[in-house]
Amino acid sequence: MVTIDLNADLGEGFGRWTLTDDERLLSVVTSANVACGFHAGDALTMRRVCARAAELGVRIGAQVSYRDLAGFGRRAMDVPPQELAAEVAYQIGALEVFARAAGAAVAYVKPHGALYNRVVHDGEQAAAVVEGVLLAGRALPVLGLPGSRFLAAAGAAGLPVVTEAFGDRAYTEGGTLVPRGTDGAVVTDPDDVVSRSVGIARTGSVRAHGEREISVAARSLCLHGDTPGAVELARRVRAGLERAGVRVEAFA
């Protein structure tokens, strides 16, 4: 049977401001990419998400980012490699405290936003993120785009690598994500998202922005928690996957 993990970005609030419906999304996904305070999230939010994820058996992932609360981690930044490595380790360590308190542990690491896209091509920044994961003290699996410099660097360092695809984001014909701000970069039609997600899981391919089918073989499928109607969309995607004979389970 075909198997795929279903992950979503969670804990993306700060103080009295909330964005993601963590409680309901945790009832659907198998892995939770938890914001660690640099692009979103705070101590209490991390604690609450970790506690609920542990109760439901959802794997807890550290979603590490550039230090960019104002830009939600989606603005391009130039951070010296040593500083970036330290900040990645810092974020993982912060989340680990709350995961451990909940009787679980951080199970994987995933970059967020601008950092995620930067390490697809930038070998220096990719190596810095890998160094940060190692600095945090465990050989944690890392989640990233197939063919990226990040996954190559992680594999070379002995970290388990997990390829990821997106059901709700458009792809270029080169297999990268269409930049946000470009028309059609975010796929909003629910039927289209379900169809694309099932295709990714069943055939390892998806229709790119230029209409050509491209390979996106992945072990994990991401849906963005900040998308309007994210919970219902996640439910529809999971139901569509299961109807198509795909087993939805965590990779970690």
Side-chain angles (χ1 to χ4, degrees), residues 56-145:
L56 296 173
V58 175
R59 302 299 187 270
I60 298 168
Q63 187 161 45
V64 298
S65 171
Y66 288 127
R67 188 190 292 270
D68 181 26
L69 277 174
F72 198 61
R74 288 179 175 159
R75 297 186 294 190
M77 302 184 76
D78 289 314
V79 180
Q82 284 192 323
E83 182 177 341
L84 180 58
E87 292 189 339
V88 166
Y90 180 95
Q91 292 174 79
I92 296 169
L95 187 64
E96 183 73 19
V97 168
F98 299 114
R100 292 286 184 186
V106 172
Y108 64 95
V109 177
K110 175 185 173 178
H112 166 81
L115 182 58
Y116 186 98
N117 291 313
R118 179 75 171 267
V119 299
V120 171
H121 301 297
D122 189 321
E124 185 177 62
Q125 294 279 281
V129 175
V130 170
E131 181 185 347
V133 176
L134 294 171
L135 185 61
R138 289 192 291 126
L140 291 169
V142 296
L143 199 57
L145 208 66

Side-chain angles (χ1 to χ4, degrees), residues 208-229:
H209 209 45
E211 298 300 317
R212 185 170 66 87
E213 287 285 320
I214 61 169
S215 174
V216 289
R219 177 63 184 87
S220 187
L221 179 70
C222 178
L223 297 172
H224 286 87
D226 62 330
T227 301

